[in-house]
Every structure is written in C-alpha cells, then in structure tokens.
Amino acid sequence: MDAGFLTTTIVVLALLLDFVIRVIAIIVVPRNRKPTSATAWLLAIFLIPYIGVLFFLLIGSYKLPKKRREKQDEINRFIIDSTEGIERVRRDHPWPPWLESVVELNRNLGAMPLVGGNRATLNGHYEESLAAMTAAIAAAKRYVHVEFYILTLDKTTAPFFEAMEAAVARGVVVRVLLDHIASVRTPDYKATIKRLTAMGAKWHLMLPVQPFKGKYQRPDLRNHRKLLIVDGRVAFMGSQNVIDRSYNKKSNIKRGLKWKELIVRLEGPIVAGLNAIFITDWYSETDELLRRETEPITDEDVQNANDPEELDAQVVPSGPGFAGENNLRLFLALLYYAQERIVITSPYFVPDEAMLTAITTATQRGIAVDLFVSEIGDQALVYHAQRSYYEALLRAGVRIWMYKAPYILHAKHFTIDDDVAVIGSSNMDMRSFLLNMEVSLMVRGRSFVEQMREVEDGYRRDSRELTLDEWMKQPLRSTVLDNLARLTSALQ
C-alpha cells in the first residue's frame, strides 16, 4: 500500500465521518430542544464537528439522571398528599381575576399550594441579612436546615458558622446542603468542609461531580437555591449566598466589586413549604426522607387570615428535575396578565424568545415596564449576552435602569401591578430556566408589594437610566462581542 493511497483513504474516511456526524446531529440535536438552542448546537457541530460533538456529549443533556428525576416525582406526590385541601387563603380583598389560574399552574407544575397566614420582611443589607439568619440559628431549638448554592467559611460568615456550631452543641440537629461545584471553587472550601465536620453538622454536597464514586451528571447542572429554615417556624430565602460580598475573588477585590442582594424573612405556614424543598433536596442526595419535619399545614396555621398584614404565598420550585420550566412558565403567565406595571430585577437577564416577546408585548399593551440590571458585570459572557437585548428592549419602550458600579445588583425579583410579587434564586436567563435548580416565591398582598416598591425606589436612586440614543453610540466591536455572546448563551 503506497503512501498516496493511504492518504486518500484517510481523507475519504474523514469526509465520510464528517458527513455521518452532520446527519446524526440533524436527527438527534433538535429532539425535545428549543429551536434557538438546537440551532446554536448545530452551528457549533457544523463549524467545528469534532470539538462540537465532544462538547455536546459533555454538556448537551440538560436533564438530571433518571434516578434523580424519579426521586423528584416521588417527593412531588408526597408533597401533594401532605398538603391536600389546604389551599385556604384570605379573600377579604378581591383577587385579580387571573390569579386563580396562575395558582393552579404553579400547583400543577411544582406540587406546592398557595397558603395564607404568612408574614414577610425584606432585607437588602448584606451584613444585616447575614446577622438576621445567624440570630435565627442561635434561637433554634429543634433543627436547622441550611441550603445554599455557595456556603463558605470566611471572616464575614464566621458568626454564621459559630451559631451552627453552638446549635449542635446544645442538641439541635443541623443539616447542611451546599452545591459541590459552586462551593469547591471558593478559596476556603476545604476549611469550610473541615469546620462542618468538626462541629458535628450533617452535611452533604448537592449534585456532586464525583465520577469515581458513581456520582455524575452534566457538570453545569447546579443547585442554585438559597434557603434557611429553623424549627419550621422561620425561613429565609432569596438571592444571597453565605460568603463575603466580594465572593473572596482576587479579581473582584481588585475591582472593588460588592454584591447587592435581597433576602426575605418568612413566618407562617409557607415555612413548611420551603422546608419541603429542603427535604426534597436532602432526599435526592441521601435517600433519607425527613418525614418528622414535614408536618402538614393545619387550620391553626391560617387562623390569622383576617389580619390585613397576613400574606398569601406559594413556593415554586424549578429545575431539570421537573418536566417543564416551572419558573419560566410562572414568569410568562404573570407578564401576560399584568394590567398596569411590571418591574423586573435580574442580574443576569438573557431571555428566551418567549420571554422577550412577553415583555415587548406588555409595552405594546400600554404596560409600564422597568428593568433593573447592573452597570457592570462579573461574568463576561453573560454580561455581553445580556447587553445584546438592550436595543430591542429600549425600542419596545422598556426603561432600563443600570445600578451603578462598583455594586453587582444580584437581587432577583419582580412585581406585577400592586398585587403580586415574586422573589427567589432564579435569574431571568436560560441557565436558570433549564439548568439550575431554583426556588421562587409568589406572594399576593399589597403590603408586600409596597415593601418591594420601596426596594425598587432605592435601586432607582442608585441607578442611571440607559437611553436608546446612548446605546446606539456603542462601538461596533462591542456590538459584535455582545452578539457572539448571545449565540453562546443558547448552547443549553
């Protein structure tokens, strides 16, 4: 066999393999995938076939392993059985006519009911919210459930860890869940794990990527939830992780970046709903179902329904363990039902086509829409992908408010008219819709929306409004970079 024939054979086989890859990709990639995502993957595979296929095999599936999805279905049935018949809420003030259908949507998607008799207090001060959570742990008598995307021991969070350690010492059961990939990337990960072990807390990693231990799924499928539940009496949730507000990164410290968050403290029967989310995740990681901490909500829990300060609230879990995009469906429903005003706060705003259409349709219906984002970004690709939507939003009439540097506005919430607000861990981007396990809280109650309005007014005072004239002066290189980042954001 001469060298020429061998070379020709290799070239022919390579071309044949390239053709086969493209044909298989056209069949496999679009299946059960959004058109934008499918198009982006096909583009990657067609332009760089071997590398594109390798990346698709590594991160192309946005579903959790079958066993974990089966666990989610099992716990959903348990939640439904445990909360049957408790959808009793205040109706002394008329509901918006559309709210009933949104409540039913959330119940069908995430199994959680709407319950009344709750109290909520917002806290947007970083150190104060950490201190409030620490104080709640210090008062614990039965159990403390800690679940955070990032949980790390540093100078800022030391009192939080001391409170957990003291709780264990007095006989309180302290259970801790922390996301594996997010936490392992922090400088103090080993010290954090060592401290949790030494204090006697029961801790586990969420969605661990440990192939040699038989634990593996797509590495960027993450648990992004932030929850603290104490004794089934009080709960905290929102956008804030347990870490210094610089995130202890040298680049952040050099730039002087500081994270701006929003946490809500809750009391009432909704605490049991948030605890059910913790129990779900604990069961997924340990196979242990904490039945004793899943007390069903009783009539006594809603006995204060006539108090005008009491709120109706519904927990909405979402993530790759569910069949649908629960958070996206909730957001879309509310956007289309809005009658007067929409205010969105999202640090990473990369909408899919459905959300972009819903927002621009709202402005065309005469609805006032405000969007709060950060003036600067901490994640380059997401920041530039977000910027690629500004022109379309501004032309549609959306008012974009840019929270001034050096703060990263990391809060995640939005309000609809004067009736409903949503707060939680979910960004309005494709990652939160498809890849991250998130938890949102829908609240009906004018007193809560008024609290949100005060927060939004504070953002507005510390922001500058971006105008279309200013935006159209962006240099060409920025536009090209933004659009390239937008393409990569669809690779989900």
Side-chain angles (χ1 to χ4, degrees), residues 8-9 28 40 127 154 193 205 216 293 305 314 446 474 480:
T8 301
T9 301
V28 173
E127 289 78 12
D154 57 35
I193 297 303
L205 299 173
Y216 184 82
E293 279 94 14
Q314 186 174 29
R446 295 205 168 198
Q474 293 292 313
V480 171

Side-chain angles (χ1 to χ4, degrees), residues 9-24:
T9 301
I10 292 173
V11 170
V12 170
L13 289 175
L15 290 173
L16 181 62
L17 178 61
D18 181 84
F19 177 75
V20 170
I21 287 174
R22 293 169 189 264
V23 171
I24 293 175

Side-chain angles (χ1 to χ4, degrees), residues 126 149-152 154 156 182 185-188 224 226 239-253 257-261 348 378-379 408 410 412:
Y126 202 98
Y149 177 60
I150 297 176
L151 176 75
T152 191
D154 57 35
T156 301
R185 292 184 301 183
T186 61
D188 300 302
H224 194 239
K226 293 99 174 170
S239 65
Q240 187 169 344
N241 291 296
V242 180
I243 190 171
D244 182 82
R245 69 188 307 182
S246 69
Y247 276 61
N248 298 320
K249 291 184 178 180
K250 292 182 180 179
S251 58
N252 292 347
I253 295 170
L257 299 187
K258 298 178 181 180
W259 265 242
K260 177 71 174 176
E261 309 284 1
Y348 312 117
D378 66 301
Q379 298 184 29
I408 299 294
H410 193 246
K412 310 155 199 297

Side-chain angles (χ1 to χ4, degrees), residues 137 140-146 163-176 199-203 228-231 275 278 282 288 290 292-293:
I137 296 172
K141 297 180 179 178
R142 295 171 52 217
Y143 64 82
V144 174
H145 289 166
V146 179
M164 287 195 293
E165 189 169 31
V168 173
R170 63 178 182 270
V172 174
V173 178
V174 176
R175 299 182 179 94
V176 178
M199 74 172 63
K202 299 180 179 181
W203 65 270
L228 172 65
I229 302 99
V230 177
D231 293 341
N275 197 41
F278 178 91
W282 186 265
E288 178 188 8
L290 306 173
R292 288 187 298 177
E293 279 94 14

